[in-house]
Coordinates of all heavy atoms in Angstrom, one line a residue:
C1 N 14.8 14.0 6.6 CA 13.7 13.0 6.3 C 12.4 13.7 6.4 O 12.0 14.3 7.4 CB 13.8 11.8 7.3 SG 12.5 10.6 7.1
A2 N 11.7 13.7 5.3 CA 10.4 14.3 5.2 C 9.3 13.2 5.4 O 9.4 12.2 4.7 CB 10.2 15.1 3.9
A3 N 8.4 13.5 6.3 CA 7.4 12.5 6.6 C 6.0 13.0 6.2 O 5.7 14.2 6.3 CB 7.5 12.2 8.1
S4 N 5.2 12.0 5.9 CA 3.8 12.3 5.6 C 3.0 11.1 5.9 O 3.4 10.0 6.0 CB 3.6 12.7 4.1 OG 4.0 11.7 3.2
G5 N 1.7 11.4 6.2 CA 0.8 10.4 6.6 C -0.1 10.9 7.7 O 0.3 11.8 8.4
R6 N -1.3 10.3 7.7 CA -2.3 10.9 8.6 C -1.9 10.8 10.1 O -2.4 11.6 10.9 CB -3.6 10.3 8.4 CG -3.7 8.8 8.6 CD -5.1 8.2 8.2 NE -5.2 6.8 8.4 CZ -5.7 6.2 9.5 NH1 -6.2 7.0 10.5 NH2 -5.7 4.9 9.6
T7 N -1.1 9.9 10.5 CA -0.7 9.7 11.9 C 0.8 9.8 12.1 O 1.3 9.3 13.1 CB -1.3 8.5 12.5 OG1 -0.8 7.3 11.7 CG2 -2.8 8.5 12.4
W8 N 1.6 10.4 11.1 CA 3.0 10.3 11.2 C 3.5 10.9 12.6 O 4.6 10.5 13.1 CB 3.7 11.0 10.0 CG 3.6 12.5 10.2 CD1 2.6 13.4 9.7 CD2 4.6 13.4 10.8 NE1 2.9 14.7 10.0 CE2 4.1 14.7 10.7 CE3 5.8 13.1 11.5 CZ2 4.8 15.8 11.2 CZ3 6.5 14.2 12.0 CH2 6.0 15.5 11.9
W9 N 2.8 11.9 13.1 CA 3.3 12.6 14.3 C 3.2 11.7 15.5 O 3.7 12.1 16.6 CB 2.5 13.9 14.5 CG 1.0 13.7 14.5 CD1 0.3 13.4 15.6 CD2 0.1 13.7 13.4 NE1 -1.1 13.3 15.3 CE2 -1.2 13.4 13.9 CE3 0.3 13.9 12.0 CZ2 -2.3 13.4 13.1 CZ3 -0.8 13.9 11.2 CH2 -2.1 13.6 11.7
R10 N 2.6 10.6 15.4 CA 2.5 9.6 16.5 C 3.6 8.6 16.4 O 3.5 7.6 17.3 CB 1.1 9.0 16.5 CG 0.0 9.9 17.0 CD 0.1 10.0 18.5 NE -1.0 10.8 19.1 CZ -1.2 11.0 20.4 NH1 -0.4 10.4 21.3 NH2 -2.2 11.7 20.8
Y11 N 4.4 8.7 15.5 CA 5.5 7.7 15.3 C 6.8 8.2 15.9 O 7.2 9.4 15.8 CB 5.7 7.4 13.9 CG 4.7 6.5 13.3 CD1 3.4 7.0 12.9 CD2 5.0 5.1 13.0 CE1 2.5 6.1 12.4 CE2 4.0 4.3 12.5 CZ 2.8 4.8 12.1 OH 1.8 4.0 11.6
N12 N 7.6 7.3 16.5 CA 9.0 7.6 16.7 C 9.7 7.5 15.4 O 9.4 6.8 14.5 CB 9.6 6.5 17.7 CG 8.9 6.5 19.0 OD1 8.3 7.5 19.5 ND2 8.9 5.4 19.7
M13 N 10.8 8.3 15.3 CA 11.5 8.4 14.1 C 13.0 8.0 14.3 O 13.6 8.5 15.3 CB 11.4 9.8 13.5 CG 10.0 10.3 13.2 SD 9.3 9.3 11.8 CE 10.4 9.7 10.5
G14 N 13.5 7.2 13.5 CA 14.8 6.7 13.7 C 15.7 6.8 12.4 O 15.2 7.0 11.3
W15 N 17.0 6.6 12.6 CA 17.9 6.6 11.5 C 18.7 5.3 11.6 O 19.1 4.9 12.7 CB 18.8 7.8 11.5 CG 18.2 9.1 11.0 CD1 17.6 10.0 11.8 CD2 18.1 9.5 9.7 NE1 17.2 11.0 11.0 CE2 17.5 10.7 9.7 CE3 18.6 9.0 8.4 CZ2 17.2 11.5 8.5 CZ3 18.3 9.7 7.3 CH2 17.6 10.9 7.3
F16 N 19.0 4.8 10.4 CA 19.8 3.6 10.2 C 20.8 3.8 9.1 O 20.6 4.7 8.3 CB 19.0 2.3 9.9 CG 18.0 1.9 11.0 CD1 16.9 2.6 11.3 CD2 18.3 0.7 11.6 CE1 16.0 2.2 12.2 CE2 17.4 0.3 12.6 CZ 16.3 1.0 12.9
R17 N 21.8 3.0 9.0 CA 22.7 3.0 7.9 C 23.1 1.6 7.5 O 23.1 0.7 8.3 CB 23.9 3.9 8.1 CG 24.9 3.3 9.1 CD 26.0 4.3 9.3 NE 27.0 3.9 10.3 CZ 28.0 4.6 10.7 NH1 28.2 5.8 10.3 NH2 28.9 4.1 11.6
Q18 N 23.4 1.4 6.2 CA 23.8 0.1 5.7 C 24.9 0.3 4.7 O 24.8 1.1 3.8 CB 22.5 -0.5 5.1 CG 22.8 -2.0 4.6 CD 21.5 -2.6 4.2 OE1 20.6 -2.0 3.7 NE2 21.4 -3.9 4.3
T19 N 25.9 -0.6 4.8 CA 26.9 -0.7 3.8 C 26.7 -1.9 3.0 O 26.1 -2.9 3.4 CB 28.3 -0.7 4.5 OG1 28.4 -1.8 5.4 CG2 28.6 0.6 5.2
P20 N 27.3 -1.9 1.8 CA 27.1 -3.1 0.9 C 27.5 -4.4 1.5 O 28.5 -4.5 2.1 CB 28.0 -2.8 -0.3 CG 28.0 -1.3 -0.4 CD 28.1 -0.9 1.1
G21 N 26.6 -5.4 1.4 CA 26.8 -6.7 2.0 C 26.7 -6.8 3.5 O 26.9 -7.9 4.0
K22 N 26.2 -5.8 4.1 CA 26.1 -5.8 5.6 C 24.7 -5.5 6.0 O 23.9 -4.9 5.2 CB 27.0 -4.9 6.3 CG 28.5 -5.2 6.1 CD 29.4 -4.3 6.8 CE 30.9 -4.6 6.7 NZ 31.2 -6.0 7.2
E23 N 24.3 -5.9 7.2 CA 23.0 -5.6 7.7 C 22.8 -4.1 8.0 O 23.7 -3.4 8.2 CB 22.7 -6.5 8.9 CG 23.4 -6.1 10.1 CD 24.8 -6.6 10.2 OE1 25.3 -7.2 9.2 OE2 25.5 -6.5 11.3
R24 N 21.5 -3.7 8.0 CA 21.2 -2.4 8.4 C 21.5 -2.2 9.9 O 21.0 -3.0 10.7 CB 19.8 -2.1 8.0 CG 19.4 -0.7 8.0 CD 18.0 -0.5 7.4 NE 17.9 -0.9 6.0 CZ 16.8 -0.9 5.3 NH1 15.7 -0.5 5.8 NH2 16.9 -1.3 4.0
K25 N 22.1 -1.1 10.2 CA 22.5 -0.8 11.6 C 21.7 0.4 12.1 O 21.6 1.4 11.5 CB 24.0 -0.5 11.7 CG 24.9 -1.7 11.3 CD 24.8 -2.8 12.3 CE 25.9 -3.9 12.0 NZ 27.2 -3.4 12.2
F26 N 21.2 0.2 13.3 CA 20.5 1.3 14.0 C 21.5 2.4 14.5 O 22.6 2.1 14.9 CB 19.7 0.7 15.2 CG 19.2 1.8 16.1 CD1 18.1 2.5 15.8 CD2 19.9 2.1 17.3 CE1 17.6 3.5 16.7 CE2 19.4 3.0 18.2 CZ 18.3 3.7 17.9
L27 N 21.1 3.6 14.3 CA 21.9 4.8 14.8 C 21.2 5.5 15.9 O 21.8 5.8 16.9 CB 22.2 5.7 13.6 CG 23.0 5.1 12.5 CD1 23.1 6.1 11.4 CD2 24.4 4.8 13.0
A28 N 20.0 5.9 15.7 CA 19.4 6.9 16.6 C 17.8 6.8 16.5 O 17.3 6.5 15.4 CB 19.9 8.3 16.4
V29 N 17.2 7.3 17.5 CA 15.7 7.4 17.4 C 15.3 8.6 18.3 O 15.9 8.8 19.3 CB 15.0 6.1 17.9 CG1 15.4 5.7 19.3 CG2 13.5 6.1 17.7
I30 N 14.2 9.2 17.9 CA 13.6 10.3 18.7 C 12.1 10.0 18.8 O 11.5 9.5 17.9 CB 13.9 11.7 18.0 CG1 13.3 12.8 18.9 CG2 13.3 11.7 16.6 CD1 13.8 14.2 18.5
N31 N 11.6 10.3 20.0 CA 10.2 10.0 20.2 C 9.3 11.0 19.4 O 9.8 12.0 19.1 CB 9.9 9.9 21.6 CG 9.9 11.2 22.3 OD1 10.7 12.1 22.0 ND2 9.0 11.4 23.3
W32 N 8.1 10.6 19.3 CA 7.2 11.5 18.5 C 6.9 12.8 19.2 O 6.6 13.8 18.5 CB 5.8 10.8 18.3 CG 5.1 10.4 19.5 CD1 5.1 9.1 20.1 CD2 4.1 11.2 20.2 NE1 4.2 9.1 21.2 CE2 3.6 10.4 21.3 CE3 3.6 12.5 20.1 CZ2 2.7 10.8 22.2 CZ3 2.7 12.9 21.0 CH2 2.2 12.1 22.1
G33 N 7.1 12.9 20.5 CA 7.0 14.1 21.2 C 8.2 15.0 21.0 O 8.2 16.2 21.4
G34 N 9.3 14.5 20.5 CA 10.5 15.2 20.3 C 11.3 15.6 21.5 O 12.2 16.4 21.5
D35 N 11.1 14.9 22.7 CA 11.7 15.3 23.9 C 12.5 14.1 24.5 O 13.0 14.2 25.6 CB 10.7 15.8 24.9 CG 9.6 14.7 25.2 OD1 9.6 13.7 24.6 OD2 8.8 15.1 26.1
D36 N 12.8 13.1 23.7 CA 13.6 11.9 24.2 C 14.3 11.3 23.0 O 13.7 11.2 21.9 CB 12.7 10.9 24.9 CG 13.5 9.9 25.7 OD1 14.7 10.2 26.0 OD2 12.9 8.9 26.1
T37 N 15.5 11.0 23.2 CA 16.3 10.3 22.2 C 17.1 9.2 22.7 O 17.3 9.0 23.9 CB 17.3 11.3 21.5 OG1 18.1 11.9 22.6 CG2 16.6 12.4 20.8
Y38 N 17.5 8.3 21.8 CA 18.3 7.2 22.2 C 19.3 6.9 21.0 O 18.9 6.9 19.9 CB 17.5 5.9 22.4 CG 18.3 4.7 22.7 CD1 18.9 4.5 24.0 CD2 18.5 3.7 21.7 CE1 19.7 3.3 24.2 CE2 19.3 2.6 22.0 CZ 19.9 2.4 23.2 OH 20.6 1.3 23.5
Y39 N 20.6 6.7 21.4 CA 21.6 6.6 20.4 C 22.4 5.3 20.5 O 22.7 4.9 21.7 CB 22.6 7.7 20.4 CG 22.0 9.1 20.1 CD1 21.5 9.9 21.2 CD2 21.9 9.5 18.8 CE1 21.0 11.1 20.9 CE2 21.4 10.8 18.5 CZ 20.9 11.5 19.6 OH 20.4 12.8 19.3
E40 N 22.7 4.6 19.4 CA 23.5 3.5 19.4 C 24.9 3.9 19.7 O 25.4 5.0 19.3 CB 23.4 2.7 18.1 CG 24.4 1.6 17.9 CD 24.1 0.4 18.9 OE1 22.9 0.3 19.3 OE2 25.0 -0.3 19.2
D41 N 25.7 3.0 20.4 CA 27.1 3.3 20.8 C 27.9 3.6 19.5 O 28.9 4.4 19.6 CB 27.7 2.2 21.6 CG 27.1 2.1 23.0 OD1 26.5 3.1 23.4 OD2 27.3 1.1 23.6
S42 N 27.6 3.0 18.4 CA 28.4 3.1 17.2 C 28.3 4.6 16.7 O 29.1 4.9 15.9 CB 27.9 2.2 16.1 OG 26.5 2.4 15.8
A43 N 27.4 5.4 17.2 CA 27.3 6.8 16.8 C 28.5 7.5 17.3 O 28.8 8.6 16.8 CB 26.0 7.4 17.2

């Protein structure tokens, strides 16, 4: 995932996935500092 924007580095970044006909599911997130993560159990 390539990010751009004047303040992108202040954002947490996450990943989701979605299959046809289903809701988008959270997978993981990393904080903007890059030193903390959280993962959904489905991972």
